[in-house]
Amino acid sequence: FTGSAFGSAAIWQYESLKSRVQTYFEEARADWLDKIRPQKRGDFRKQVNSWWNNLTEGQRTVTGIIAANVFVFCLWRLPGMRRIMFTYFTSDPSSRALCSPMLLSTFSHFSLFHMAANMYVLWSFSSSIVSLLGCEQFMAVYLSAGVISSFVSYVAKMATGRFEPSLGA
């Protein structure tokens, strides 16, 4: 999984750089169009765009991770989703689904305090680590760390004989 994550990150990084270069040249050609285009309306949209554009690349990357974690957290609150959540979003070596929960359980938090603390810490160091690694490599590290920690949890549970489901990275 880790090799695939970093390989995909390298491809994503190349495509992102290629897209930025193409966008630069397209914007240089289309600069005159901005002067004749009508301005978009809507204060809320402008505020959201202003907020988004003021975020660092790391904060934008982590915003997606936080949104995924909040979405999964909300799914835990739906009674009809409990069986699916326990099957695919908890890490349990005795489960019939072994591989996908290793990744999906990293987005699971059952306690609001646990999720809020984890997301706050992730947000606090996101700018510096993404500026160091780039958002693509950061995502590869984040996802790989989640899968590796789930694997270590599997090994520890097998060694101790305690087959209880767990969640979180």
Side-chain angles (χ1 to χ4, degrees):
F1 177 84
T2 301
S4 296
F6 280 99
S8 299
I11 293 168
W12 179 20
Q13 202 166 17
Y14 166 77
E15 291 296 330
S16 178
L17 180 61
K18 182 176 139 184
S19 174
R20 278 188 236 151
V21 169
Q22 288 174 341
T23 302
Y24 173 77
F25 286 114
E26 288 171 4
E27 285 177 357
R29 270 188 263 129
D31 191 31
W32 63 275
L33 281 175
D34 288 340
K35 295 174 183 150
I36 60 173
R37 275 192 200 144
Q39 294 294 319
K40 295 180 182 174
R41 297 176 192 225
D43 288 335
F44 179 72
R45 184 177 178 173
K46 286 180 185 177
Q47 289 174 348
V48 170
N49 282 334
S50 174
W51 171 78
W52 184 258
N53 292 331
N54 287 331
L55 295 177
T56 64
E57 185 180 22
Q59 290 171 332
R60 283 189 223 137
T61 303
V62 170
T63 299
I65 294 171
I66 291 172
N69 279 279
V70 168
F71 180 71
V72 171
F73 180 78
C74 290
L75 288 177
W76 274 106
R77 302 297 171 253
L78 300 174
M81 293 295 294
R82 284 287 168 101
R83 186 168 10 146
I84 292 170
M85 298 306 289
F86 272 109
T87 302
Y88 295 105
F89 287 84
T90 60
S91 183
D92 185 2
S94 64
S95 174
R96 61 183 167 89
L98 288 176
C99 294
S100 56
M102 289 177 75
L103 175 64
L104 296 176
S105 68
T106 63
F107 296 97
S108 270
H109 298 85
F110 201 72
S111 160
L112 179 62
F113 177 74
H114 179 219
M115 183 184 68
N118 282 355
M119 296 305 103
Y120 174 74
V121 170
L122 184 63
W123 181 269
S124 67
F125 74 82
S126 64
S127 294
S128 58
I129 196 75
V130 170
S131 68
L132 181 67
L133 297 176
C135 71
E136 302 86 0
Q137 298 297 322
F138 170 75
M139 288 300 296
V141 168
Y142 179 81
L143 295 174
S144 295
V147 169
I148 290 169
S149 67
S150 293
F151 179 73
V152 169
S153 173
Y154 278 11
V155 170
K157 288 175 185 179
M158 295 295 285
T160 62
R162 298 173 68 189
F163 301 107
E164 302 151 353
S166 60
L167 46 87

